[in-house]
Each structure stands twice: as C-alpha cells, then as structure tokens.
Amino acid sequence: MSVATVLPPQENKTNDAPSNASKLNFNRITDEQFLLAAEHMGLEDEIQKLLITPYRELIVQVPVRMDDGKLELFHGFRVQHNAVRGPYKGGLRFHHHVDLAEVRSLAALMTWKTAIVDVPFGGAKGGVTCDPTSMSRKELQSLTRGFAQKIDMALGVYRDIVAPDVGTNAQVMAWFMDEYGKKHGYTPAIVTGKPVRLGGSLGREEATGRGVMIITLEACKAYGIDVKRASIAVQGFGNVGSWASRLLAQRGANIVAVSDVKGGIFKEGGLDIDAVLAHVKETGSVVDMPGTRPCGNEELLTLDVDVLIPAALGGSITRHNVENVSAKLIVEAANSPVTPRADEALRARNIPVIPDILANAGGVTVSYFEWVQNLQQFSWSHEKVNVELEERMLKAWWNVHTRSVEEKTPLRIAAFTEALHRVAEATRQRY
Ligand code: GLU
C-alpha cells in the first residue's frame, strides 16, 4: 500500500476550511501525518495497513428525556484504534462538532501519544454530539449514564478506560464510573480523571497543562528563548489552557493574551493569571477583565509573541491564517490545532511546532498513574505524581527532539516515527 493509494495528495477544500473547524476532516489530517512518518521510516505496508485502521468502532443511540419532557436522541461514538501495547485508553468528548471522523482521528492520536510517553496503553476516543453548555446537570447525567450503558460491552479495566476531554470533567467521570459499577461492582479503574474523593489521582486535573509547561520550557531552551523574558499567547482557557498559563506564569513567563469561546484579552506587560481565573469564576469568561484590552481569537493567533499555545479545538491554524502567525514557536496543547498545510507553511518559515501527541501527553500520563493507583489500591502523593510526570515528559521530549535533529526531520514526523517504532515492534511481536 503506497501513500498515494491511501491519501489523495492534493488538498481538498473541506480539509482546510477557512474558519469552520467542523468542516475539517480530522481523520484525513491524522492519516496524512501518519503516512508521512511511515514513509520517512520505511514502515512495511502490512504494518501500515494495520496501524492506520481502527480496531473497532461503536456508534450508539443515546435517548435522553430532557427537562421539558421531550425525548431527545443523541449519537455517541467510541473508537478503539489500537491495543497492541496495552488496553485502549482515551477521553470522552461532549461537543456539537463531534462526529465519527473526528473521534476516529482522536483515537489514533491517543495510540501515538501513549506510545511517545511510553505508558502501557493503546488508543481510543469517545464522543457524543451534543452541546453540554445548553444542558442541565440532570440532562448531562442522563446522557453520561446512557452512553456508559450503551458502550459497556466494549469497556473494561484491562480492555478500555475512559477519561475527560473537551466538554467533560471529573463529575462526568464520576457518573460514568457509578453507572459502570452498577453492573460490574466497584471499579474505579474504569475511568481516570475522576474526583480525588472517588479514587482520582492528585495532580490529574492539572496534568495536561503541567505537561504543556514542561515541554514549553524545554522547547524554549532548545530554540534559544529565555522563558523569563518570553511573551506567550494562549488560545483557549479551559482546563489545559488555564493550567498551562498559570504554571508558565509561575516560571516567570509573560502570558500576554488568553481567550475563550466568547473572546480574548491582552495586556502588554503580562496578565495576572490568578486574577483572570478569579474573573472567569465570577463571570464565566475571560472577556471584560479589568485592566486589559479585548483581543479576539483570530487576532490572538497573529500576536507578535515568542510562544503561541493553541489550547482550544482542532483546526485553529490553517492555510488561511497561517501567514499572519508571528510567533517564534508553537506548542500544540489542543489536539490537531495546526492543519498539515499550515504546518508546511510554518516549516518553510522555520517556526518550530511542538506536536500535540508530545505536548499534551501529560494528561494521559497521569491517567496511567491514576489507573495504577486504582489497581494497587494505594495512592501517591501529589509530589510523586509531578516528579514521575516530569521524568516521562522530559524523556519523551529528549527522544523526539534528538530524533528530529539526527534524522533532519520536523518534530511532528519525529514524534510519529518514535511512536510508530514502538507500536510497530509490539505488533510484529504479536503476529
Ligand atoms: N483527553 C485527554 C487527551 O486527549 C486525556 C486522555 C486520557 O487521559 O485518557 O489526551
């Protein structure tokens, strides 16, 4: 199977739409990244075929009786991409853009992510097409429990373990675990990212942001940027973006701009992130923070900063806006924020992009620690979690960066190659 037979080389419009991320075909994007690395490393066709194809895909109906008495039908997905290195592992996304192609792409990214940080998991992803922001707590709980019941047969602590993602959180994991437990008995290891009181790990909530911080510090060192003087813009102020901002600010960086779905804010000398967090808690958004000027999501991407951290949804930097990006370094905290055409344009301008599968792997790394703690029924201190996380992230950074330098290949291809080597080797040993 050659690259050409799997993926038409020409760009088609729907694969890099101007501003509507829902029109992007994320599955094609992930396949293209995979194939570039497979070609780079000379991966044999039979293994390529196996690794580009998901193992199992579930599409389920989830009917929910809404608060107004009407029965609404939601669609849920769980894609199990690969489990040669360990059980399927990946988050559950609640968002109105969710479709099978997106979940399939995110499931594959999980396989490569878990391989890069060398945790013994495969890759999976779940999603329900819904708008959680317009649903009541009761409706969300019914949706979560309904979805858990529908995919129950494909789950297990040694088969497939769920976690939070965009639009879900520790509370959703608590409902999911409770529903699973009704049939199987007490099973905390079926989800990670659950509340600490229910067996969650200390440090899991901040883990993805902490991983982004660790990788950003290393990348700054590698590309000659002094973090203490660096200006950083963060698109997205959800769990990942807000934790990354806070932890980088604690390391002396100037977070000059942050944004959320409602808009963004800018402050020349750097924002007081704790004050921004307090403002978000009070008003629900970063916008109208006193002492700052408004800065829209598109403008934020064009700011003349040292580091740009896209931490919102996929497809924020495309061929349509990439020429306006002025940052010296891009760290992908979200999944697939930079499309392949934008990636090429940035490469041509020598702007390094730290790929998502490395930069945001801190979450699943601490998910692994949580799973281990649940299985052993022994909990770790917050400090131990942070130390072990840092060790794994640094090792992953070192492996990917060294490969990129030695093989004269962009970091994304180096990261995929590193992951592919591990998964391919395990595959050959099994078959
Ligand atoms: N949803 C997160 C991610 O995309 C975490 C997944 C997990 O912990 O299993 O990496």
Side-chain angles (χ1 to χ4, degrees):
M1 185 175 60
S2 74
V3 170
T5 58
V6 179
L7 194 78
Q10 80 282 4
E11 174 166 24
N12 99 22
K13 242 194 157 177
T14 56
N15 203 27
D16 207 344
S19 57
N20 187 350
S22 67
K23 290 220 184 89
L24 287 171
N25 186 336
F26 288 105
N27 192 37
R28 269 181 61 121
I29 292 176
T30 313
D31 284 355
E32 187 170 338
Q33 293 165 344
F34 168 90
L35 289 165
L36 284 172
E39 194 173 34
H40 169 76
M41 67 191 274
L43 187 65
E44 60 270 38
D45 282 0
E46 57 183 33
I47 302 284
Q48 276 197 38
K49 209 189 254 172
L50 217 142
L51 299 187
I52 203 166
T53 323
Y55 171 73
R56 174 161 46 194
E57 301 184 332
L58 296 177
I59 306 177
V60 295
Q61 277 189 340
V62 192
V64 174
R65 183 68 65 191
M66 304 299 273
D67 293 349
D68 63 6
K70 293 202 182 98
L71 189 67
E72 190 145 335
L73 186 60
F74 294 92
H75 287 101
F77 309 88
R78 184 73 179 170
V79 175
Q80 297 175 332
H81 176 258
N82 188 283
V84 296
R85 296 180 55 264
Y88 300 102
K89 182 79 189 84
L92 168 59
R93 181 173 287 207
F94 284 177
H95 196 272
H96 59 278
H97 284 170
V98 163
D99 60 17
L100 181 61
E102 184 186 72
V103 179
R104 194 183 273 163
S105 141
L106 293 164
L109 288 178
M110 287 309 301
T111 300
W112 316 128
K113 212 182 281 188
T114 52
I116 285 181
V117 283
D118 205 13
V119 296
F121 287 141
K125 200 77 168 199
V128 178
T129 319
C130 65
D131 177 7
T133 59
S134 67
M135 292 169 73
S136 70
R137 184 182 157 92
K138 189 165 156 269
E139 291 167 343
L140 278 173
Q141 177 163 182
S142 305
L143 180 69
T144 306
R145 289 184 183 276
F147 182 63
Q149 283 167 17
K150 300 295 161 70
I151 64 166
D152 176 277
M153 82 296 253
L155 302 176
V157 293
Y158 292 109
R159 185 172 296 278
D160 186 356
I161 303 124
V162 176
D165 194 78
V166 173
T168 58
N169 55 20
Q171 176 60 74
V172 171
M173 292 306 109
W175 293 327
F176 198 104
M177 170 187 122
D178 188 72
E179 193 60 34
Y180 187 86
K182 283 181 187 167
K183 187 165 166 193
H184 304 273
Y186 177 65
T187 320
I190 196 62
V191 293
T192 56
K194 53 195 169 288
V196 175
R197 287 257 173 260
L198 294 181
S201 177
L202 293 168
R204 173 61 185 85
E205 199 200 294
E206 77 211 51
T208 312
R210 182 173 286 278
V212 169
M213 177 271 286
I214 295 166
I215 294 292
T216 303
L217 295 188
E218 289 307 302
C220 281
K221 259 190 247 164
Y223 298 107
I225 298 169
D226 177 0
V227 159
K228 295 217 158 24
R229 291 161 192 242
S231 54
I232 300 183
V234 182
Q235 188 199 42
F237 206 65
N239 175 279
V240 181
S242 61
W243 272 108
S245 302
R246 178 192 257 181
L247 295 169
L248 280 161
Q250 283 171 8
R251 301 298 180 292
N254 271 340
I255 311 295
V256 293
V258 297
S259 65
D260 58 34
V261 278
K262 295 193 179 142
I265 50 173
F266 175 90
K267 189 172 179 191
E268 184 73 52
L271 297 156
D272 175 347
I273 297 298
D274 286 333
V276 178
L277 282 163
H279 179 75
V280 171
K281 206 168 172 197
E282 207 182 300
T283 68
S285 170
V286 300
V287 298
D288 293 334
M289 165 86 194
T292 68
R293 78 156 170 85
C295 167
N297 267 295
E298 269 301 312
E299 186 198 342
L300 184 141
L301 299 173
T302 68
L303 293 173
D304 183 12
V305 286
D306 294 300
V307 186
L308 173 62
I309 305 186
L313 289 171
S316 58
I317 304 176
T318 69
R319 65 184 171 135
H320 301 280
N321 61 7
V322 66
E323 291 313 325
N324 304 327
V325 169
S326 324
K328 297 187 185 70
L329 169 71
I330 296 177
V331 182
E332 292 188 326
N335 288 316
S336 304
V338 178
T339 65
R341 297 297 83 81
D343 221 6
E344 275 168 24
L346 292 165
R347 201 171 307 145
R349 286 165 59 201
N350 273 327
I351 301 175
V353 179
I354 316 299
D356 46 8
I357 52 173
L358 169 64
N360 70 27
V364 75
T365 303
V366 177
S367 278
Y368 166 56
F369 302 156
E370 182 170 327
W371 181 73
V372 166
Q373 293 172 72
N374 292 154
L375 295 179
Q376 297 188 338
Q377 297 175 13
F378 181 85
S379 43
W380 297 5
S381 68
H382 199 155
E383 200 199 338
K384 179 172 167 70
V385 169
N386 288 350
V387 168
E388 297 266 348
L389 170 64
E390 179 154 19
E391 201 175 291
R392 283 195 187 249
M393 294 302 292
L394 291 179
K395 203 165 166 195
W397 160 262
W398 180 250
N399 286 336
V400 171
H401 186 248
T402 309
R403 185 182 286 278
S404 156
V405 173
E406 282 175 359
E407 298 177 11
K408 298 189 177 50
T409 190
L411 286 162
R412 191 184 310 279
I413 296 185
F416 266 81
T417 304
E418 184 71 23
L420 277 170
H421 269 296
R422 292 182 187 173
V423 180
E425 194 188 335
T427 307
R428 288 186 207 103
Q429 285 162 347
R430 276 178 183 263
Y431 298 108

